[in-house]
Amino acid sequence: MFENIPDYIPYSLLALLSIGIGFYLFKDTVRFALKGEKTSGRIVNWMSATENGKKYFYPVIEYTPKAGETLRVRTEDRCESEPMFAVGTAVTVKYDTANFKTIRVEYPKKTS
């Protein structure tokens, strides 16, 4: 029954299935990359937390989306022992237009 099917057909179906599963799993990431909006923001505070004896600092970013009010979001970015940037440092914020609190922050280049 399956003897007359060319070898490339099952491999093609497997490849298409893999691409489909990958797209489904990463659709939010792809949508964010393609449709996210950029705006300016700034670091307004640093929050600290101690985990396993190490002190971490998380920046609190303030920004205003196009069609919204000014928001403050604590990011998941962190640094150890001391904050990397001063309060008031300008950053670029890429936010999800469907959920304004989903952001990625571009920090200024650190010169040492």
Side-chain angles (χ1 to χ4, degrees):
M1 179 173 161
F2 294 113
E3 297 84 28
N4 295 333
I5 296 176
D7 288 339
Y8 67 89
I9 297 290
Y11 295 120
S12 299
L13 291 174
L14 185 60
L16 288 173
L17 180 66
S18 298
I19 290 169
I21 290 171
F23 181 76
Y24 177 76
L25 292 175
F26 296 105
K27 68 181 181 294
D28 292 333
T29 304
V30 171
R31 185 180 56 76
F32 182 81
L34 297 175
K35 297 196 176 201
E37 299 256 343
K38 284 189 176 184
T39 189
S40 60
R42 65 187 179 98
I43 298 173
V44 294
N45 200 1
W46 286 90
M47 296 179 77
S48 65
T50 303
E51 297 174 26
N52 298 326
K54 286 187 178 180
K55 192 166 190 172
Y56 295 103
F57 291 89
Y58 298 86
V60 178
I61 308 294
E62 182 178 83
Y63 70 101
T64 306
K66 258 186 194 176
E69 58 191 46
T70 300
L71 297 173
R72 286 185 179 195
V73 178
R74 189 204 85 165
T75 68
E76 293 302 315
D77 304 331
R78 67 183 187 183
C79 55
E80 289 183 34
S81 36
E82 65 181 36
M84 290 181 64
F85 300 101
V87 170
T89 301
V91 295
T92 302
V93 178
K94 187 172 185 178
Y95 62 91
D96 187 345
T97 55
N99 179 4
F100 294 146
K101 292 197 175 193
T102 301
I103 65 171
R104 293 219 174 89
V105 181
E106 295 174 14
Y107 298 95
K109 300 283 185 234
K110 195 79 168 153
T111 56
S112 45

